[in-house]
């Protein structure tokens, strides 16, 4: 990534998104990736991993609302939640707003991401002082293979399937994820762009389909990832994201959101025709 006056994410050599930089706050190279935190003119502070935009203060609420509240309002009583990746803290922050959640375990491979966000992006990282959060710096692939702990909901908040996140898109990983779920568990994963990553999305959906009886995909809009239209996958051992969604629970929770509500929850699962065609045969209604 060029760190002059613009921070530019170049996507597959045919598309680029640029953010005007006010100030570079942190630039480092960890054992896993380049980590940059910049202050931008239009998007607030931003985190880039290997030149890929991960978080902007301006719209992180969209991603973090949708990765978290969709599964946490479908599961009837989520007490223990595992976040894989998510080193900026935004996902764990939203998880711990749910009063049923007693513990959130977060397994992030890259300590540098956590440290850079702790220092520069408190909007997401303030959660690291929450006593209900157990942060483990480790390889999540190894963690899910070895742990005896089980969870009600698992959120895979990963970067793109290149570099350190690559194994997080494979069947071995999801077999272990399933092993770590309590009966009735739900897993939601970062699902990439429906425009640019059709092959990848289909691979992820088919991997999930080998392991889970319910497999769905849902979308959200943002102003930070290439194309602005992005997906999450939803997989479970039985719970259906719409049929088992008791929408009165949203209001009863007393929580306020910036993107999520019962309507955006339902609407997110409405797929445009091109996506319906692409994912044909890979969606499982249970
Ligand atoms: N996770 C990364 C989403 C994918 C972004 N991809 C890209 N810019 N090419 C975001 C982490 C938020 N907690």
């Amino acid at each position: 990534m060029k760190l002059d006056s613009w921070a530019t994410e170049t996507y597959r050599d045919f598309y680029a998104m640029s953010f005007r930089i006010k100030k570079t706050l942190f630039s480092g190279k960890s054992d896993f990736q380049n980590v940059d935190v910049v202050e931008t003119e239009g998007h607030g502070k931003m985190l880039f991993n290997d030149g890929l935009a991960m978080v902007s203060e301006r719209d992180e609420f969209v991603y973090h609302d949708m990765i978290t509240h969709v599964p946490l309002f479908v599961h009837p009583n989520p007490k223990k939640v595992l976040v894989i990746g998510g080193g900026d803290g935004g996902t764990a922050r939203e998880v711990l707003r749910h009063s049923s959640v007693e513990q959130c375990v977060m397994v992030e491979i890259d300590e540098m991401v956590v440290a850079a966000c702790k220092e520069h992006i408190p909007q997401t990282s303030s959660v690291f002082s929450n006593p209900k959060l157990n942060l483990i710096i480790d390889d999540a692939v190894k963690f899910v293979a070895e742990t005896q702990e089980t969870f009600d909901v698992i959120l895979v908040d990963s970067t793109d399937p290149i570099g350190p996140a690559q194994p997080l898109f494979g069947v071995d990983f999801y077999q272990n994820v399933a092993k770590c779920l309590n009966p009735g568990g739900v897993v939601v994963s970062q699902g990439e762009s429906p425009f640019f990553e059709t092959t990848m999305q289909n691979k992820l959906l088919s991997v999930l389909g080998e392991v889970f009886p319910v497999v769905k995909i849902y979308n959200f809009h943002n102003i930070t990832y290439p194309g602005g239209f992005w997906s999450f996958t939803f997989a479970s051992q039985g719970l259906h994201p719409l049929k088992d969604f008791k929408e009165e629970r949203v209001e009863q929770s007393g929580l306020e959101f910036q993107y999520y509500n019962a309507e955006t929850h339902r609407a997110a699962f409405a797929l445009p025709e091109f996506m319906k065609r692409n994912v044909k045969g890979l969606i499982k209604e249970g």
Side-chain angles (χ1 to χ4, degrees):
M1 184 181 52
K2 256 169 55 196
L3 276 177
D4 47 16
S5 59
W6 292 86
T8 298
E9 169 173 347
T10 308
Y11 191 74
R12 293 231 218 120
D13 273 347
F14 65 74
Y15 185 30
M17 271 177 105
S18 294
F19 307 85
R20 169 85 72 188
I21 296 178
K22 251 190 209 165
K23 199 173 167 196
T24 298
L25 300 171
F26 178 86
S27 248
K29 192 170 169 46
S30 73
D31 289 345
F32 306 100
Q33 56 204 345
N34 292 309
V35 178
D36 298 293
V37 180
V38 295
E39 190 172 345
T40 67
E41 292 287 348
H43 286 61
K45 291 176 195 157
M46 291 184 68
L47 165 72
F48 290 82
N49 289 352
D50 271 346
L52 305 175
M54 292 292 122
V55 159
S56 95
E57 284 183 320
R58 175 74 196 281
D59 72 342
E60 54 84 11
F61 66 88
V62 183
Y63 182 99
H64 294 131
D65 273 11
M66 293 305 275
I67 192 174
T68 304
H69 304 307
V70 169
L72 269 77
F73 280 115
V74 170
H75 192 289
N77 190 21
K79 287 188 178 155
K80 231 179 128 183
V81 178
L82 173 64
V83 176
I84 287 171
D88 55 86
T91 300
R93 179 195 66 201
E94 291 306 308
V95 167
L96 287 170
R97 295 178 68 206
H98 285 254
S99 56
S100 65
V101 175
E102 291 164 2
Q103 200 197 17
C104 178
V105 176
M106 177 174 150
V107 182
E108 163 63 54
I109 200 167
D110 197 342
E111 196 160 20
M112 187 180 279
V113 171
V114 174
C117 292
K118 263 192 188 166
E119 177 151 7
H120 298 290
I121 316 186
Q123 183 174 315
T124 53
S125 65
S126 54
V127 72
F128 291 120
S129 60
N130 189 319
K132 288 183 181 172
L133 181 69
N134 177 13
L135 170 65
I136 299 171
I137 300 294
D138 200 356
D139 180 353
V141 172
K142 186 171 134 253
F143 179 85
V144 293
E146 290 173 1
T147 188
Q148 302 300 315
E149 280 187 82
T150 55
F151 302 88
D152 302 309
V153 176
I154 299 181
L155 305 177
V156 185
D157 184 4
S158 69
T159 63
D160 294 353
I162 42 173
Q166 199 163 6
L168 302 184
F169 291 78
V171 75
D172 297 348
F173 172 69
Y174 278 103
Q175 259 147 7
N176 286 321
V177 164
K179 185 206 75 180
C180 295
L181 276 178
N182 289 327
V186 179
V187 49
V188 164
S189 310
Q190 194 273 106
E192 299 291 323
S193 158
F195 281 106
F196 301 130
E197 294 288 352
T198 314
T199 313
M200 221 307 303
Q201 281 197 337
N202 288 1
K203 191 189 152 219
L204 181 57
L205 290 168
S206 83
V207 160
L208 290 166
E210 283 183 49
V211 184
F212 297 99
V214 176
V215 177
K216 302 277 285 175
I217 188 160
Y218 63 101
N219 298 317
F220 63 96
H221 314 271
N222 79 3
I223 51 169
T224 295
Y225 303 152
F229 185 51
W230 215 260
S231 311
F232 288 114
T233 59
F234 178 107
S236 83
Q237 290 161 336
L239 285 171
H240 189 280
L242 299 175
K243 293 177 207 154
D244 293 308
F245 175 44
K246 310 268 180 298
E247 59 176 81
E248 59 282 2
R249 279 185 52 216
V250 177
E251 213 172 300
Q252 283 159 9
S253 74
L255 294 173
E256 274 183 28
F257 307 107
Q258 292 186 78
Y259 190 90
Y260 181 83
N261 58 35
E263 291 87 50
T264 56
H265 177 129
R266 289 194 182 281
F269 288 88
L271 302 183
E273 282 302 305
F274 81 93
M275 270 188 91
K276 276 195 184 175
R277 279 195 281 274
N278 287 339
V279 302
K280 209 168 177 179
L282 298 170
I283 300 302
K284 294 172 72 179
E285 302 287 343

